[in-house]
Amino acid sequence: MITREDIMRKIGLVAASVVAAVGGLTACSDSGDSTDTEKAPAATAEESAEAAGSSGVEAEAGEGGAGRDVEITASGVRDHDTWGENAYVVEYRITNSGEEAANYFVGLEFLDADGDVLGSTGVTADKLGPGKSKKGETAPLDVEIENGELADIRDVRVAMVDRTPAT
């Protein structure tokens, strides 16, 4: 299970990685233009935003700080009524911090012990009112894990958040 201390430790590591990467790119640049289009991976979209020092969330996390609206509350291997025995289950919460109803698509990436992406899945929250939350559980299907096996999963991260106005 991911604890708050683990998340804070990851934030520090990601921030240090971003600073080192940006510093290295700037030092290697022979011009004053230091445009960087690659981003270091993070455990959540919120961590990416904090590490990058942006006013909201990384570009793929959507407008208005949508990455801050998603939290992985628990994850790990357990027996589950829907997903079966020894399933890697992810518990999440999506909270609409906006002022109007919104639809959310959240992309999750499953990682191995080395932090490499094994596969991905997505979850949604439709017509979520302002201040309202949706809690849910998901688990990857075998076909979603393209670069290894389900048994290889050791962690999960929020890869992207797409928030659009509900109609």
Side-chain angles (χ1 to χ4, degrees):
M1 180 179 292
I2 298 174
T3 66
R4 182 172 257 316
E5 291 171 347
D6 291 334
I7 293 171
M8 296 308 292
R9 193 173 307 120
K10 286 182 182 180
I11 289 172
L13 291 172
V14 169
S17 296
V18 169
V19 169
V22 170
L25 288 172
T26 302
C28 293
S29 177
D30 58 356
S31 71
D33 185 15
S34 61
T35 303
D36 181 17
T37 58
E38 293 187 29
K39 295 180 179 76
T44 67
E46 181 178 3
E47 288 175 23
S48 294
E50 290 177 22
S54 65
S55 61
V57 187
E58 59 189 3
E60 58 268 16
E63 296 295 317
R68 295 182 184 178
D69 292 354
V70 179
E71 178 183 8
I72 295 174
T73 57
S75 63
V77 176
R78 65 181 166 129
D79 293 345
H80 192 273
D81 291 340
T82 302
W83 305 108
E85 293 182 12
N86 296 315
Y88 191 91
V89 179
V90 178
E91 297 177 26
Y92 62 90
R93 180 176 40 243
I94 302 169
T95 303
N96 183 353
S97 64
E99 296 181 11
E100 297 189 19
N103 299 317
Y104 288 83
F105 174 80
V106 178
L108 302 173
E109 291 180 333
F110 297 96
L111 311 172
D112 66 12
D114 296 326
D116 295 327
V117 176
L118 296 169
S120 62
T121 194
V123 295
T124 63
D126 296 321
K127 299 181 181 176
L128 193 60
K132 302 292 183 181
S133 293
K134 175 189 177 183
K135 293 180 182 180
E137 296 179 330
T138 191
L141 301 174
D142 192 38
V143 298
E144 295 173 318
I145 303 302
E146 300 171 342
N147 302 319
E149 304 292 326
L150 286 170
D152 297 334
I153 300 173
R154 296 293 179 267
D155 201 2
V156 61
R157 69 178 170 204
V158 176
M160 62 87 64
V161 178
D162 183 26
R163 176 180 157 183
T164 58
T167 54

